[in-house]
Amino acid sequence: MTNTNLRSIAEHFAFDASIVDITTLGQGFINDTYIVTTEKSRYILQRKNHHIFPDVPAMMDNIERVTTHLKAKVAAAGGDPIREVLTVVRTKEGELYHREGDNYWAASLYIEGSVTHDKADTPRLAYMGGRGIGKFQAMLADFTEPLAEVIKGFHNIRWRFEQWDKALAEDRAGRKASVAAEIEQIERRREQMLAFWEMVEQGVLPMRVTHNDTKLSNILFDEHDEVLCVIDLDTVMSSTSLNDFGDAIRSYTNRGAEDDTDLGRVSMDIETFRHYAEGYLEERGATMSASEREWLAFSALYITYEQVLRFLMDYIDGDSYYKIAYPTHNLVRARAQHKLLESMEEQYEAMREICRQ
Ligand code: GN1
Ligand code: MG
């Protein structure tokens, strides 16, 4: 995207002053993100991936309703709704997004003084991250209006298996035979994962408003490691809130990288698990059901497994979903996430014990 094009897109938004600069930001796998600097302030501008989010207007409506709810909660508690909750910036016509051809664009305020982290390298950061997501969920506990399902069956493993079976049957990129061992790793755990999801389907695990993408880099911290604001609300939907715990554990506790080529580096750090769980349960423990607490530790295995499946499926499909940096990137990601899953399985009893305390 050239800068002139970007600028003409940015001009559609109701920013506070003239635009002076636009730069690329971040490493998202899905959207393209930019920082827009005006004479007075800074904003985030994103091209929402319409291929992955088929109904961007519904997605933006979810975000608007959830952030309005959160802002009221933060204000009532004496906080600063502008810094502690994402603020959507509308277009000059008052719309939540700008459409240009097949592309949808949305903007939000840049929160000055905020910091993101790629690694939870201190106990305090993990603890604070846990509190941040716990608080986020607690503030949304009384949000009962239905939300649009922006990505069908996002963390629903039954639906993922439908996609998976189809991907294997089609073998679009002709890669299936080369990943037989990895496919077996998925199949071996199929029943166990379906049994977990069945508890969601049967209401044993309640549906709540959930973030669904709680990796560490989706939280803004201040310079004292206090959580400022939870960002990337694209996938806010109804699901089991356990997914938010599980996805955070997948991201925070990994000693290696999500796409580490050296599997020797990848494993789950149980101390980071302990600190995250402590923070999370401090904010959310009181409002959790007994079954949610019982299955909290398992949710980390579930989400990590789902991520192995999604990366591997995308590799088999010919890399149509995730952005990749090299041809085997999705396979490398799947293998690294599988290593993490094995490490979680080995430490599962200890994880459960921590969640019980
Ligand atoms: C994607 O693009 P990003 O970083 O927000 C994905 C998540 C995955 C994650 C893997 C909509 O998130 O589900 O867990 O990559 N988001 C979507 O890092 O598929
Ligand atoms: Mg995301």
Side-chain angles (χ1 to χ4, degrees), residues 307-318:
Q307 198 65 67
V308 181
L309 184 152
R310 290 172 62 198
F311 284 145
L312 188 59
M313 181 163 73
D314 199 30
Y315 180 72
I316 293 168
D317 254 349

Side-chain angles (χ1 to χ4, degrees), residues 87-255:
T87 304
V88 176
V89 176
R90 290 175 182 255
T91 65
K92 289 172 178 162
E93 291 80 40
E95 302 292 338
L96 294 169
Y97 57 88
H98 167 67
R99 180 174 181 176
E100 198 145 308
D102 270 354
N103 290 318
Y104 288 80
W105 295 82
S108 55
L109 292 185
Y110 181 92
I111 300 172
E112 294 297 341
S114 62
V115 188
T116 57
H117 297 277
D118 287 325
K119 272 208 118 19
D121 35 25
T122 66
R124 182 172 157 82
L125 204 59
Y127 168 77
M128 288 298 186
R131 279 188 51 178
I133 290 299
K135 199 172 155 198
F136 177 85
Q137 290 186 342
M139 286 194 293
L140 287 164
D142 58 346
F143 185 100
T144 48
E145 307 157 37
L147 287 168
E149 191 180 27
V150 292
I151 296 182
K152 180 178 156 79
F154 193 55
H155 287 317
N156 172 345
I157 207 71
R158 194 181 299 286
W159 168 245
R160 293 296 181 188
F161 281 129
E162 278 190 36
Q163 296 178 315
W164 167 259
D165 291 337
K166 188 164 168 280
L168 289 188
E170 290 176 358
D171 191 17
R172 284 222 299 255
R175 290 171 169 171
K176 188 171 117 181
S178 68
V179 290
E182 286 79 6
I183 291 174
E184 211 286 307
Q185 292 161 352
I186 294 295
E187 294 299 343
R188 180 146 49 90
R189 298 169 174 99
R190 185 190 277 248
E191 294 313 316
Q192 182 193 19
M193 298 300 161
L194 277 170
F196 174 81
W197 191 255
E198 215 171 288
M199 290 190 290
V200 178
E201 292 168 331
Q202 293 178 351
V204 177
L205 296 172
M207 292 294 248
R208 302 181 188 274
V209 178
T210 47
H211 181 282
N212 292 306
D213 191 6
T214 45
K215 64 171 93 172
L216 174 58
S217 57
N218 277 338
I219 292 191
L220 304 183
F221 293 84
D222 69 12
E223 68 275 27
H224 311 293
D225 290 346
E226 296 277 354
V227 169
L228 256 181
C229 179
V230 178
I231 56 167
D232 189 8
L233 302 180
D234 293 357
T235 49
V236 162
M237 283 181 269
S238 299
S239 190
T240 162
S241 65
L242 298 191
N243 292 341
D244 283 354
F245 180 83
D247 202 24
I249 294 304
R250 179 183 78 78
S251 131
Y252 285 66
T253 66
N254 189 353
R255 290 192 177 95

